[in-house]
mmCIF file of all heavy atoms in Angstrom:
data_model
loop_
_atom_site.group_PDB
_atom_site.id
_atom_site.type_symbol
_atom_site.label_atom_id
_atom_site.label_comp_id
_atom_site.label_asym_id
_atom_site.label_seq_id
_atom_site.Cartn_x
_atom_site.Cartn_y
_atom_site.Cartn_z
ATOM 1 N N PHE A 34 98.084 106.491 110.133
ATOM 2 C CA PHE A 34 96.743 106.011 110.369
ATOM 3 C C PHE A 34 96.690 104.499 110.229
ATOM 4 O O PHE A 34 97.469 103.902 109.461
ATOM 5 C CB PHE A 34 95.784 106.608 109.360
ATOM 6 C CG PHE A 34 95.838 108.164 109.322
ATOM 7 C CD1 PHE A 34 96.742 108.843 108.569
ATOM 8 C CD2 PHE A 34 94.806 108.976 109.985
ATOM 9 C CE1 PHE A 34 96.831 110.224 108.514
ATOM 10 C CE2 PHE A 34 94.901 110.333 109.892
ATOM 11 C CZ PHE A 34 95.858 110.900 109.130
ATOM 12 N N TYR A 36 93.639 101.738 109.194
ATOM 13 C CA TYR A 36 92.232 101.550 108.756
ATOM 14 C C TYR A 36 91.955 100.055 108.689
ATOM 15 O O TYR A 36 92.824 99.242 108.429
ATOM 16 C CB TYR A 36 92.068 102.116 107.345
ATOM 17 C CG TYR A 36 91.849 103.588 107.287
ATOM 18 C CD1 TYR A 36 93.006 104.497 107.157
ATOM 19 C CD2 TYR A 36 90.578 104.184 107.227
ATOM 20 C CE1 TYR A 36 92.798 105.851 107.132
ATOM 21 C CE2 TYR A 36 90.387 105.477 107.172
ATOM 22 C CZ TYR A 36 91.541 106.463 107.042
ATOM 23 O OH TYR A 36 91.349 107.781 107.071
ATOM 24 N N GLN A 38 89.194 97.196 106.879
ATOM 25 C CA GLN A 38 88.228 96.995 105.827
ATOM 26 C C GLN A 38 87.608 95.615 105.934
ATOM 27 O O GLN A 38 88.329 94.573 105.820
ATOM 28 C CB GLN A 38 88.932 97.146 104.464
ATOM 29 C CG GLN A 38 87.812 96.968 103.293
ATOM 30 C CD GLN A 38 88.553 97.151 101.949
ATOM 31 O OE1 GLN A 38 89.671 96.736 101.715
ATOM 32 N NE2 GLN A 38 87.730 97.652 100.932
ATOM 33 N N ASN A 41 83.541 93.570 101.553
ATOM 34 C CA ASN A 41 82.550 94.311 100.720
ATOM 35 C C ASN A 41 82.146 95.645 101.429
ATOM 36 O O ASN A 41 80.980 96.196 101.322
ATOM 37 C CB ASN A 41 81.238 93.509 100.599
ATOM 38 C CG ASN A 41 81.523 92.242 99.734
ATOM 39 O OD1 ASN A 41 82.274 92.262 98.663
ATOM 40 N ND2 ASN A 41 81.053 91.133 100.230
ATOM 41 N N GLN A 42 83.160 96.172 102.178
ATOM 42 C CA GLN A 42 82.875 97.463 102.908
ATOM 43 C C GLN A 42 84.035 98.480 102.440
ATOM 44 O O GLN A 42 84.969 98.110 101.918
ATOM 45 C CB GLN A 42 82.941 97.252 104.385
ATOM 46 C CG GLN A 42 81.934 96.342 104.939
ATOM 47 C CD GLN A 42 80.577 96.917 105.247
ATOM 48 O OE1 GLN A 42 80.601 98.098 105.609
ATOM 49 N NE2 GLN A 42 79.541 96.269 104.966
ATOM 50 N N GLY A 43 83.729 99.714 102.867
ATOM 51 C CA GLY A 43 84.818 100.722 102.698
ATOM 52 C C GLY A 43 85.816 100.693 103.814
ATOM 53 O O GLY A 43 85.706 99.818 104.683
ATOM 54 N N LEU A 46 88.310 104.050 109.891
ATOM 55 C CA LEU A 46 89.496 104.422 110.693
ATOM 56 C C LEU A 46 89.537 103.593 112.039
ATOM 57 O O LEU A 46 88.515 103.602 112.705
ATOM 58 C CB LEU A 46 89.461 105.983 111.013
ATOM 59 C CG LEU A 46 90.593 106.414 111.812
ATOM 60 C CD1 LEU A 46 91.903 106.482 110.961
ATOM 61 C CD2 LEU A 46 90.335 107.856 112.406
ATOM 62 N N LYS A 49 94.576 106.922 114.803
ATOM 63 C CA LYS A 49 95.512 107.895 114.132
ATOM 64 C C LYS A 49 96.514 108.318 115.069
ATOM 65 O O LYS A 49 96.249 108.488 116.329
ATOM 66 C CB LYS A 49 94.786 109.019 113.425
ATOM 67 C CG LYS A 49 94.044 109.840 114.385
ATOM 68 C CD LYS A 49 93.361 110.965 113.645
ATOM 69 C CE LYS A 49 92.560 111.932 114.609
ATOM 70 N NZ LYS A 49 91.776 113.010 113.809
ATOM 71 N N TYR A 50 97.702 108.535 114.609
ATOM 72 C CA TYR A 50 98.836 109.127 115.417
ATOM 73 C C TYR A 50 98.691 110.618 115.530
ATOM 74 O O TYR A 50 98.656 111.246 114.522
ATOM 75 C CB TYR A 50 100.137 108.690 114.978
ATOM 76 C CG TYR A 50 101.288 109.361 115.429
ATOM 77 C CD1 TYR A 50 101.654 109.246 116.787
ATOM 78 C CD2 TYR A 50 102.054 110.301 114.756
ATOM 79 C CE1 TYR A 50 102.711 109.947 117.329
ATOM 80 C CE2 TYR A 50 103.092 110.963 115.288
ATOM 81 C CZ TYR A 50 103.490 110.833 116.592
ATOM 82 O OH TYR A 50 104.547 111.488 117.070
ATOM 83 N N THR A 51 98.805 111.090 116.663
ATOM 84 C CA THR A 51 98.959 112.498 116.918
ATOM 85 C C THR A 51 100.239 112.699 117.820
ATOM 86 O O THR A 51 100.615 111.827 118.475
ATOM 87 C CB THR A 51 97.850 113.057 117.766
ATOM 88 O OG1 THR A 51 97.871 112.704 119.098
ATOM 89 C CG2 THR A 51 96.492 112.828 117.123
ATOM 90 N N PHE A 90 94.960 98.318 106.825
ATOM 91 C CA PHE A 90 95.853 99.200 106.025
ATOM 92 C C PHE A 90 96.410 100.284 106.943
ATOM 93 O O PHE A 90 95.782 100.881 107.706
ATOM 94 C CB PHE A 90 95.012 99.798 104.927
ATOM 95 C CG PHE A 90 94.438 98.980 103.967
ATOM 96 C CD1 PHE A 90 93.265 98.415 104.011
ATOM 97 C CD2 PHE A 90 95.238 98.610 102.805
ATOM 98 C CE1 PHE A 90 92.671 97.511 103.077
ATOM 99 C CE2 PHE A 90 94.717 97.826 101.739
ATOM 100 C CZ PHE A 90 93.528 97.251 101.917
ATOM 101 N N SER A 94 99.917 110.241 105.815
ATOM 102 C CA SER A 94 99.445 111.513 105.071
ATOM 103 C C SER A 94 100.667 112.365 104.814
ATOM 104 O O SER A 94 101.396 112.716 105.731
ATOM 105 C CB SER A 94 98.423 112.219 106.011
ATOM 106 O OG SER A 94 97.961 113.405 105.374
ATOM 107 N N GLU A 95 100.796 112.735 103.624
ATOM 108 C CA GLU A 95 101.953 113.587 103.254
ATOM 109 C C GLU A 95 101.884 114.894 103.796
ATOM 110 O O GLU A 95 100.911 115.513 103.966
ATOM 111 C CB GLU A 95 102.006 113.615 101.672
ATOM 112 C CG GLU A 95 102.426 112.332 101.001
ATOM 113 C CD GLU A 95 102.937 112.653 99.587
ATOM 114 O OE1 GLU A 95 102.749 113.803 99.093
ATOM 115 O OE2 GLU A 95 103.490 111.717 99.022
ATOM 116 N N THR A 99 99.981 118.764 101.058
ATOM 117 C CA THR A 99 99.304 118.052 99.967
ATOM 118 C C THR A 99 98.166 117.297 100.427
ATOM 119 O O THR A 99 97.175 117.088 99.590
ATOM 120 C CB THR A 99 100.356 117.121 99.310
ATOM 121 O OG1 THR A 99 100.693 116.107 100.270
ATOM 122 C CG2 THR A 99 101.462 117.846 98.768
ATOM 123 N N TYR A 100 98.091 116.892 101.692
ATOM 124 C CA TYR A 100 96.867 116.341 102.247
ATOM 125 C C TYR A 100 96.428 114.919 101.693
ATOM 126 O O TYR A 100 95.435 114.490 101.886
ATOM 127 C CB TYR A 100 95.688 117.234 102.188
ATOM 128 C CG TYR A 100 95.679 118.349 103.195
ATOM 129 C CD1 TYR A 100 96.396 119.463 102.915
ATOM 130 C CD2 TYR A 100 94.944 118.262 104.405
ATOM 131 C CE1 TYR A 100 96.488 120.491 103.934
ATOM 132 C CE2 TYR A 100 94.935 119.257 105.333
ATOM 133 C CZ TYR A 100 95.704 120.353 105.050
ATOM 134 O OH TYR A 100 95.782 121.391 106.039
ATOM 135 N N LYS A 101 97.236 114.351 100.848
ATOM 136 C CA LYS A 101 96.847 113.055 100.323
ATOM 137 C C LYS A 101 97.401 111.894 101.129
ATOM 138 O O LYS A 101 98.446 112.074 101.852
ATOM 139 C CB LYS A 101 97.224 112.854 98.864
ATOM 140 C CG LYS A 101 98.763 112.831 98.552
ATOM 141 C CD LYS A 101 98.956 112.704 97.090
ATOM 142 C CE LYS A 101 100.437 112.548 96.811
ATOM 143 N NZ LYS A 101 100.671 112.460 95.269
ATOM 144 N N TYR A 102 96.788 110.772 101.087
ATOM 145 C CA TYR A 102 97.172 109.584 101.826
ATOM 146 C C TYR A 102 97.913 108.584 100.913
ATOM 147 O O TYR A 102 97.462 108.476 99.742
ATOM 148 C CB TYR A 102 95.949 108.859 102.326
ATOM 149 C CG TYR A 102 95.178 109.550 103.459
ATOM 150 C CD1 TYR A 102 94.246 110.445 103.112
ATOM 151 C CD2 TYR A 102 95.443 109.291 104.835
ATOM 152 C CE1 TYR A 102 93.469 111.148 104.105
ATOM 153 C CE2 TYR A 102 94.788 109.909 105.734
ATOM 154 C CZ TYR A 102 93.815 110.837 105.410
ATOM 155 O OH TYR A 102 93.084 111.452 106.507
ATOM 156 N N PHE A 104 98.740 104.582 101.035
ATOM 157 C CA PHE A 104 98.425 103.424 101.773
ATOM 158 C C PHE A 104 99.414 102.270 101.573
ATOM 159 O O PHE A 104 99.979 102.234 100.515
ATOM 160 C CB PHE A 104 97.059 102.852 101.296
ATOM 161 C CG PHE A 104 95.800 103.685 101.894
ATOM 162 C CD1 PHE A 104 95.363 104.786 101.246
ATOM 163 C CD2 PHE A 104 95.266 103.189 103.011
ATOM 164 C CE1 PHE A 104 94.414 105.537 101.805
ATOM 165 C CE2 PHE A 104 94.266 103.905 103.628
ATOM 166 C CZ PHE A 104 93.717 105.053 103.021
ATOM 167 N N ARG B 9 76.539 100.829 93.654
ATOM 168 C CA ARG B 9 77.345 99.943 94.432
ATOM 169 C C ARG B 9 78.067 98.870 93.496
ATOM 170 O O ARG B 9 79.136 98.402 93.791
ATOM 171 C CB ARG B 9 76.577 99.299 95.577
ATOM 172 C CG ARG B 9 76.184 100.152 96.628
ATOM 173 C CD ARG B 9 77.396 100.643 97.568
ATOM 174 N NE ARG B 9 78.272 99.517 97.864
ATOM 175 C CZ ARG B 9 78.179 98.795 98.970
ATOM 176 N NH1 ARG B 9 77.059 99.008 99.791
ATOM 177 N NH2 ARG B 9 79.032 97.906 99.253
ATOM 178 N N TYR B 31 88.330 118.194 100.741
ATOM 179 C CA TYR B 31 89.187 117.326 99.961
ATOM 180 C C TYR B 31 88.350 116.120 99.545
ATOM 181 O O TYR B 31 87.605 115.459 100.413
ATOM 182 C CB TYR B 31 90.359 116.946 100.642
ATOM 183 C CG TYR B 31 91.464 117.949 100.782
ATOM 184 C CD1 TYR B 31 91.390 118.917 101.745
ATOM 185 C CD2 TYR B 31 92.583 118.013 99.821
ATOM 186 C CE1 TYR B 31 92.409 119.901 101.885
ATOM 187 C CE2 TYR B 31 93.468 118.961 99.900
ATOM 188 C CZ TYR B 31 93.410 119.901 100.882
ATOM 189 O OH TYR B 31 94.287 120.871 101.040
ATOM 190 N N PHE B 33 88.835 112.415 97.307
ATOM 191 C CA PHE B 33 89.807 111.483 96.768
ATOM 192 C C PHE B 33 89.083 110.414 95.976
ATOM 193 O O PHE B 33 88.070 109.932 96.465
ATOM 194 C CB PHE B 33 90.637 110.892 97.779
ATOM 195 C CG PHE B 33 91.380 111.855 98.802
ATOM 196 C CD1 PHE B 33 90.728 112.272 99.847
ATOM 197 C CD2 PHE B 33 92.651 112.252 98.496
ATOM 198 C CE1 PHE B 33 91.342 113.221 100.731
ATOM 199 C CE2 PHE B 33 93.261 113.142 99.346
ATOM 200 C CZ PHE B 33 92.644 113.654 100.512
ATOM 201 N N TYR B 35 90.071 106.498 94.795
ATOM 202 C CA TYR B 35 90.998 105.384 94.885
ATOM 203 C C TYR B 35 90.480 104.228 94.118
ATOM 204 O O TYR B 35 89.276 104.065 93.933
ATOM 205 C CB TYR B 35 91.166 104.953 96.305
ATOM 206 C CG TYR B 35 92.072 105.856 97.146
ATOM 207 C CD1 TYR B 35 91.467 106.918 97.894
ATOM 208 C CD2 TYR B 35 93.391 105.623 97.314
ATOM 209 C CE1 TYR B 35 92.231 107.696 98.695
ATOM 210 C CE2 TYR B 35 94.230 106.385 98.060
ATOM 211 C CZ TYR B 35 93.589 107.467 98.776
ATOM 212 O OH TYR B 35 94.449 108.292 99.566
ATOM 213 N N GLN B 37 90.936 99.947 94.013
ATOM 214 C CA GLN B 37 91.475 98.848 94.759
ATOM 215 C C GLN B 37 91.454 97.485 93.945
ATOM 216 O O GLN B 37 90.392 97.201 93.483
ATOM 217 C CB GLN B 37 90.776 98.646 96.076
ATOM 218 C CG GLN B 37 91.332 97.544 96.987
ATOM 219 C CD GLN B 37 90.643 97.355 98.280
ATOM 220 O OE1 GLN B 37 89.375 97.513 98.330
ATOM 221 N NE2 GLN B 37 91.387 97.156 99.339
ATOM 222 N N TYR B 48 92.915 113.647 93.336
ATOM 223 C CA TYR B 48 92.162 114.253 94.407
ATOM 224 C C TYR B 48 91.904 115.702 94.115
ATOM 225 O O TYR B 48 92.632 116.382 93.356
ATOM 226 C CB TYR B 48 92.857 113.996 95.735
ATOM 227 C CG TYR B 48 94.095 114.854 96.068
ATOM 228 C CD1 TYR B 48 94.089 115.963 96.834
ATOM 229 C CD2 TYR B 48 95.382 114.431 95.669
ATOM 230 C CE1 TYR B 48 95.120 116.748 97.234
ATOM 231 C CE2 TYR B 48 96.457 115.169 95.928
ATOM 232 C CZ TYR B 48 96.361 116.293 96.692
ATOM 233 O OH TYR B 48 97.499 117.058 97.063
ATOM 234 N N ASP B 56 96.016 116.861 92.064
ATOM 235 C CA ASP B 56 96.898 115.780 91.577
ATOM 236 C C ASP B 56 96.228 114.699 90.869
ATOM 237 O O ASP B 56 95.468 113.991 91.530
ATOM 238 C CB ASP B 56 97.700 115.309 92.779
ATOM 239 C CG ASP B 56 98.843 114.378 92.391
ATOM 240 O OD1 ASP B 56 98.933 113.966 91.261
ATOM 241 O OD2 ASP B 56 99.659 113.973 93.273
ATOM 242 N N PHE B 91 86.876 103.554 95.192
ATOM 243 C CA PHE B 91 86.395 104.223 96.418
ATOM 244 C C PHE B 91 86.581 105.712 96.319
ATOM 245 O O PHE B 91 87.486 106.194 95.729
ATOM 246 C CB PHE B 91 87.322 103.787 97.633
ATOM 247 C CG PHE B 91 86.957 102.389 98.118
ATOM 248 C CD1 PHE B 91 87.879 101.367 97.729
ATOM 249 C CD2 PHE B 91 85.861 102.067 98.880
ATOM 250 C CE1 PHE B 91 87.558 100.094 98.203
ATOM 251 C CE2 PHE B 91 85.625 100.811 99.296
ATOM 252 C CZ PHE B 91 86.496 99.828 99.008
ATOM 253 N N ARG B 95 87.848 114.415 103.216
ATOM 254 C CA ARG B 95 88.341 114.892 104.503
ATOM 255 C C ARG B 95 88.267 116.358 104.596
ATOM 256 O O ARG B 95 88.140 117.014 103.524
ATOM 257 C CB ARG B 95 89.812 114.392 104.690
ATOM 258 C CG ARG B 95 90.849 115.176 103.920
ATOM 259 C CD ARG B 95 92.254 114.556 104.132
ATOM 260 N NE ARG B 95 92.938 114.945 105.368
ATOM 261 C CZ ARG B 95 94.159 114.664 105.601
ATOM 262 N NH1 ARG B 95 94.921 113.970 104.699
ATOM 263 N NH2 ARG B 95 94.720 115.007 106.808
ATOM 264 N N HIS B 98 92.328 121.137 107.793
ATOM 265 C CA HIS B 98 92.545 121.685 109.144
ATOM 266 C C HIS B 98 94.005 121.994 109.217
ATOM 267 O O HIS B 98 94.844 121.311 108.606
ATOM 268 C CB HIS B 98 92.147 120.654 110.129
ATOM 269 C CG HIS B 98 92.044 121.074 111.515
ATOM 270 N ND1 HIS B 98 93.099 121.208 112.346
ATOM 271 C CD2 HIS B 98 90.890 121.567 112.236
ATOM 272 C CE1 HIS B 98 92.687 121.714 113.515
ATOM 273 N NE2 HIS B 98 91.375 121.901 113.490
ATOM 274 N N MET B 101 97.128 118.632 110.155
ATOM 275 C CA MET B 101 96.911 117.761 109.023
ATOM 276 C C MET B 101 96.609 116.355 109.466
ATOM 277 O O MET B 101 96.414 115.420 108.546
ATOM 278 C CB MET B 101 98.153 117.801 108.116
ATOM 279 C CG MET B 101 98.320 119.158 107.494
ATOM 280 S SD MET B 101 99.875 119.199 106.520
ATOM 281 C CE MET B 101 99.571 117.972 105.380
ATOM 282 N N ASN B 102 96.307 116.101 110.662
ATOM 283 C CA ASN B 102 96.113 114.703 111.087
ATOM 284 C C ASN B 102 94.635 114.376 111.095
ATOM 285 O O ASN B 102 94.163 113.596 111.900
ATOM 286 C CB ASN B 102 96.570 114.643 112.589
ATOM 287 C CG ASN B 102 96.796 113.115 112.986
ATOM 288 O OD1 ASN B 102 97.049 112.329 112.138
ATOM 289 N ND2 ASN B 102 96.804 112.841 114.216
ATOM 290 N N THR B 103 93.891 114.945 110.168
ATOM 291 C CA THR B 103 92.480 114.609 110.088
ATOM 292 C C THR B 103 92.416 113.375 109.158
ATOM 293 O O THR B 103 93.097 113.263 108.181
ATOM 294 C CB THR B 103 91.672 115.747 109.461
ATOM 295 O OG1 THR B 103 92.278 116.107 108.225
ATOM 296 C CG2 THR B 103 91.689 116.994 110.446
ATOM 297 N N GLU B 104 91.460 112.450 109.521
ATOM 298 C CA GLU B 104 91.302 111.325 108.740
ATOM 299 C C GLU B 104 90.424 111.425 107.547
ATOM 300 O O GLU B 104 89.513 112.354 107.542
ATOM 301 C CB GLU B 104 90.807 110.180 109.599
ATOM 302 C CG GLU B 104 89.343 110.293 110.079
ATOM 303 C CD GLU B 104 89.343 111.008 111.445
ATOM 304 O OE1 GLU B 104 90.243 111.817 111.797
ATOM 305 O OE2 GLU B 104 88.325 110.785 112.218
ATOM 306 N N ALA B 105 90.591 110.557 106.603
ATOM 307 C CA ALA B 105 89.691 110.521 105.400
ATOM 308 C C ALA B 105 88.534 109.596 105.745
ATOM 309 O O ALA B 105 88.787 108.503 106.388
ATOM 310 C CB ALA B 105 90.424 110.135 104.163
ATOM 311 N N GLY B 108 83.738 106.004 101.296
ATOM 312 C CA GLY B 108 82.401 105.492 100.892
ATOM 313 C C GLY B 108 82.504 103.958 100.904
ATOM 314 O O GLY B 108 83.591 103.363 101.115
ATOM 315 N N GLN B 109 81.378 103.328 100.532
ATOM 316 C CA GLN B 109 81.286 101.899 100.488
ATOM 317 C C GLN B 109 81.913 101.308 99.192
ATOM 318 O O GLN B 109 82.107 100.074 99.100
ATOM 319 C CB GLN B 109 79.786 101.427 100.532
ATOM 320 C CG GLN B 109 79.057 101.855 101.852
ATOM 321 C CD GLN B 109 79.533 100.997 102.990
ATOM 322 O OE1 GLN B 109 79.366 99.773 103.088
ATOM 323 N NE2 GLN B 109 80.338 101.571 103.976
ATOM 324 N N ARG B 112 81.841 98.493 92.950
ATOM 325 C CA ARG B 112 82.486 97.345 92.298
ATOM 326 C C ARG B 112 82.206 97.326 90.875
ATOM 327 O O ARG B 112 81.028 97.127 90.471
ATOM 328 C CB ARG B 112 82.052 95.948 92.903
ATOM 329 C CG ARG B 112 82.786 94.787 92.440
ATOM 330 C CD ARG B 112 82.460 93.487 93.221
ATOM 331 N NE ARG B 112 82.868 93.629 94.591
ATOM 332 C CZ ARG B 112 84.114 93.316 94.952
ATOM 333 N NH1 ARG B 112 84.992 92.907 94.134
ATOM 334 N NH2 ARG B 112 84.320 93.379 96.272
#
Side-chain angles (χ1 to χ4, degrees):
Chain A
F34 307 81
Y36 282 84
Q38 185 181 30
N41 300 314
Q42 301 275 325
L46 182 73
K49 62 182 181 181
Y50 166 66
T51 70
F90 293 90
S94 177
E95 286 196 351
T99 62
Y100 283 83
K101 66 181 182 181
Y102 292 86
F104 281 87
Chain B
R9 288 294 311 274
Y31 285 82
F33 306 85
Y35 283 89
Q37 186 178 37
Y48 77 99
D56 184 350
F91 287 103
R95 76 186 280 189
H98 194 276
M101 293 175 60
N102 201 26
T103 55
E104 65 268 29
Q109 296 288 296
R112 182 175 296 276

